[in-house]
């Protein structure tokens, strides 16, 4: 069965960086794009960007341009999301989510369990 | 950026009753709209896509309608497992955007 398993919770100080991993299994890793979405306390869901695991090409939401980097390792079927220059407003649960179709469709059928990133001095 | 507005913010409903959730887009998104359900401590679950198509394994009591700027998610007879937060998401334009959510709680 399709599974996306994310790395564990992280605590960082303001100005630091964090790298979250998302390991895929149960399907052909390179066939579906992966998105990153976050949920901050008291807020709604927020889309951060997308990576094509086959080519490594990425598109980021303008809000995160310059601070986010998404990469992948095809040998381990893992995608990574690194967010730099962290501030308290980046405290959130970060999710990876699989695009439903190889084309892609830009909505998400499988999600990781989420990774809590806390930014605090 | 397309702003998605959901209403109401909270909906109190008794089990067995009908729930109607609204989602409005700041500009037309055709039928490129998805709905998700999220329970506390869990990842969101895809309910509907293309505004009115149920995702795999979603019960028939969930239905979606609308196009352009106005969308509705209806739960015909609420079951205990349905109480959660529901989000709409447009995928017609970059960036992809979500509504703020509607919490469906037990009355």
């Amino acid at each position: 069965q399709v599974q996306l398993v994310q790395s564990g919770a992280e605590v960082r100080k303001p100005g630091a960086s964090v790298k979250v991993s998302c390991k895929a299994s149960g399907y052909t890793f390179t066939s579906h794009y992966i998105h990153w979405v976050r949920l901050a306390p008291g807020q709604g869901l927020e889309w951060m960007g997308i990576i094509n695991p086959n080519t490594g090409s990425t598109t980021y939401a303008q809000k995160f341009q310059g601070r986010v980097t998404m990469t992948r390792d095809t040998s381990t079927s893992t995608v990574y999301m690194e967010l730099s220059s962290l501030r308290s407003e980046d405290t959130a649960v970060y999710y990876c989510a699989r695009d439903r179709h190889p084309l892609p469709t830009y909505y998400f059928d499988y999600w990781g369990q989420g990774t809590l990133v806390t930014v605090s001095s | 950026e397309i702003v998605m507005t959901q209403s109401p913010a909270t909906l109190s409903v008794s089990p067995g009753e009908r729930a109607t959730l609204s989602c409005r887009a700041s500009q037309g998104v055709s039928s490129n709209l998805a709905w998700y359900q999220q329970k506390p401590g869990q990842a969101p679950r895809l309910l509907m896509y293309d505004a009115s198509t149920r995702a795999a394994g979603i019960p028939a009591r969930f239905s979606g309608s609308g196009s352009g700027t106005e969308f509705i998610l209806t739960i015909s007879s609420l079951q205990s497992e349905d109480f959660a937060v529901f989000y709409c998401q447009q995928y017609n334009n970059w960036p992809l955007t979500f509504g703020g959510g509607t919490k469906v709680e037990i009355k």
Side-chain angles (χ1 to χ4, degrees), chain B residues 53-102:
Chain B
T53 302
R54 274 190 302 277
I58 301 303
R61 64 180 180 272
F62 291 91
S63 63
S65 64
S67 67
T69 61
E70 302 282 344
F71 300 87
I72 297 287
L73 175 70
T74 302
I75 311 170
S76 60
S77 176
L78 272 158
Q79 306 298 303
S80 57
E81 62 267 27
D82 298 335
F83 293 94
V85 179
F86 293 82
Y87 295 97
C88 60
Q89 177 232 330
Q90 68 81 21
Y91 47 95
N92 195 67
N93 289 74
W94 300 99
L96 311 180
T97 50
F98 293 84
T102 291

Side-chain angles (χ1 to χ4, degrees), chain A residues 1 7-8 14 47 69 113:
Chain A
Q1 72 284 19
S7 49
W47 180 77
T69 304
Q113 82 276 20

Side-chain angles (χ1 to χ4, degrees), chain A residues 3 10 18 21 41 50 55 70 76 88 92 100:
Chain A
Q3 279 193 304
E10 304 272 12
V18 68
S21 67
I50 181 174
T55 64
M70 296 176 188
T76 60
S88 58
R100 179 180 170 267

Side-chain angles (χ1 to χ4, degrees), chain B residues 29-49:
Chain B
V29 298
S30 186
S31 295
N32 297 316
L33 186 106
W35 288 94
Y36 301 87
Q37 176 190 49
Q38 186 173 31
K39 298 179 182 179
Q42 297 185 17
R45 176 174 73 146
L46 178 66
L47 295 176
M48 315 285 302
Y49 59 90

